[in-house]
Amino acid sequence: MHATTIDPLALDSYQRAARVMLANHLVTRTFPDRIALPLIRRWATELREDMAELLGYRLEVTETTARLFPISDRLDTGRPARTPADRVFDRRRYAYLSLALAALGRAGDQITLSELADQVAAYAVRVEGLELSTERAADRDAFVDAVAWLAARGALSLADGDAGGWAADPEAGEALYDIDRSVVFAIFRPPRALQHLHSVRTLLADDTDSAATTSVPSRAAAARRVRRALIELPVVYTETLGAAEQSALGSEKIVAEVELLTGLRAERRGEGVALIDTSGRFSDVRFPGTGTLAQVALLLIGEIADRVLDIDDPLPRRPRPPAATGIADGLDAAIPAATVFAPLVTAPQEPVDAEDPADDEEGPEPITHPFVDDEWIRATVHALTERYGSTFAAQWQADVGGLTTEVVGLLARLSLVETVDGGVLALPALARYRGAVVTVRTRAESELFASARSLGAHATGEPATASAGAAGSRTSGKGTE
C-alpha cells in the first residue's frame, strides 16, 4: 500500500485525493470543483494501485477526467441522481439522461438544446412507454433536469442562451452547449455490455477475485468486500456479514488500511464498525444537520431511545429480515429482452449473489432488535409537530404524514433503523444520538423580518455535525457521526 510510504507531510493531500475520488467517482476540470482534478492527477499512480489492491476498483486518469469504476456488492436505492433543486430523479429523467448520453456520443463539438431534444425524442419512441414531447411542460422540465445533470459534471457547458427560457417556451427560448466528449465517454462505462446481461445480479460479481467462481470465497475477496462496505455504508453491522466477512471485519489491519487510505477514523463497537467523517465532505448526507427533516429525525431518535429503555413497558424484539430481492427482480423484469435487444441477449445465467451466507440450519439464534410500530411513530411525530411545528419548514407543518415518511426514510438510509412490516427495528447505532436536547431560540424583536422562533437540536455529548453514506455518483457514502 503506497500510503504507508508517503511522507507524513504529504499524506493529508493524498488522503484528500482519495476521498474526492471515492465520493464522486467522476472528476472533471470543473466537477466537483476546479482543484479536484489537479489533486487527483498528482497522486494518480499511488491511487490507481491502492484502489485496485484494497478495493478492487479500477481508476483511469487522463488530462481532462478521472474515472473510478467501483464494484457493487449490493443494490442500493439510497443514492439516486438528483436535479439541481435536489429532487430525486424519476424514471423519465433517468431515461432522458441515458438517451441524451447516446445522442451526445454521436454529436460534434456543439449542439443546441432543441436539437438534442429532437434526437432524444426520436430515440424515446423506440422505448415502450416513453415519449419526449416538447409541447408538454412536464417533459421539457424533465429533459432540462437531465441536461443540467450533465452540465454540472462538465459534459456540457453553456455557450449561449438559457435552458430555462427553452423550458418555458421552446419557440422563443434556446440554448447552445459545447460538448466535452471525453467527459461524455467517461460518464457511462459499464463493466459489462448491458445488452448481454440476463440479470442485474451479474453486475455484482467481483472479477478481481480469481476464486470468485468457487464455492468458497478467498480471504482477499472477503477483505475487499469489507473495505468496500466500510467506505460505502453508514454502518457495517457484523450480523449482516457472512463468516468470511465477519472474520475480516474483526481484523485491525483491514480497518486500519481503510483509515490510512481515507484519513477517517473508524469507530468500533461490538455490533459493527463505522467510519466517522467529521468534515462532512466525504458523505452525501450530514447528520445531525440543519433543516426540518434532520432535526425531527434527531428528536424522533431521542423518543425511540427512551421507548427502548423503558423497562416497565419493554418493546417486542424481532430479527432483521433477509436481504430484499425486490430491487433486483424489478430491474430484471425491465430488461427489454423481447424488443430491441432480443438479438443480443445471451442465454440465462445463474444469478450471482452479493452475499453468500452459509446454509447452516443449526446456526446460532438470530440477533433481535426492538420493534417500534408505525402507530407509535406517527403519534410521536404528530406530538413533536404540535410542540415545535411553528419552527418547521412550511411544507411540513400541514403534512405530518409526509414528514413521518421522510424522517423514517432518512433514519433507514443512515442505518439507524430498518423498516419492516408494521414498523421499524431500532438498530444499535441509533443509541449514539440518544439524549437529544431541544433549544428554541428567539430573535430580538428589533431584527428586521425576524422570525418568531427557530429550532435547534443537538445530541448531548456529540458534535453538532456529522454524516452518513450513500453515493454514487456514487457516490459513496461513508460513516456516521
Side-chain angles (χ1 to χ4, degrees), residues 216-228:
V216 180
S218 70
R219 289 185 178 180
R224 282 194 294 270
R225 284 196 293 272
V226 168
R227 296 188 196 101
R228 292 195 291 260

Side-chain angles (χ1 to χ4, degrees), residues 360-415:
D360 184 5
E361 297 181 356
E362 301 296 329
E365 289 292 327
I367 298 174
T368 60
H369 302 280
F371 170 75
V372 184
D373 63 77
D374 286 334
E375 183 178 353
W376 184 91
I377 292 175
R378 285 192 295 267
T380 301
V381 175
H382 183 78
L384 292 173
T385 303
E386 286 189 338
R387 186 173 183 181
Y388 305 110
S390 61
T391 68
F392 293 176
Q395 71 181 101
W396 301 121
Q397 292 182 13
D399 186 12
V400 179
L403 175 62
T404 303
T405 300
E406 292 296 324
V407 166
V408 171
L410 175 61
L411 295 180
R413 185 180 177 187
L414 299 173
S415 295

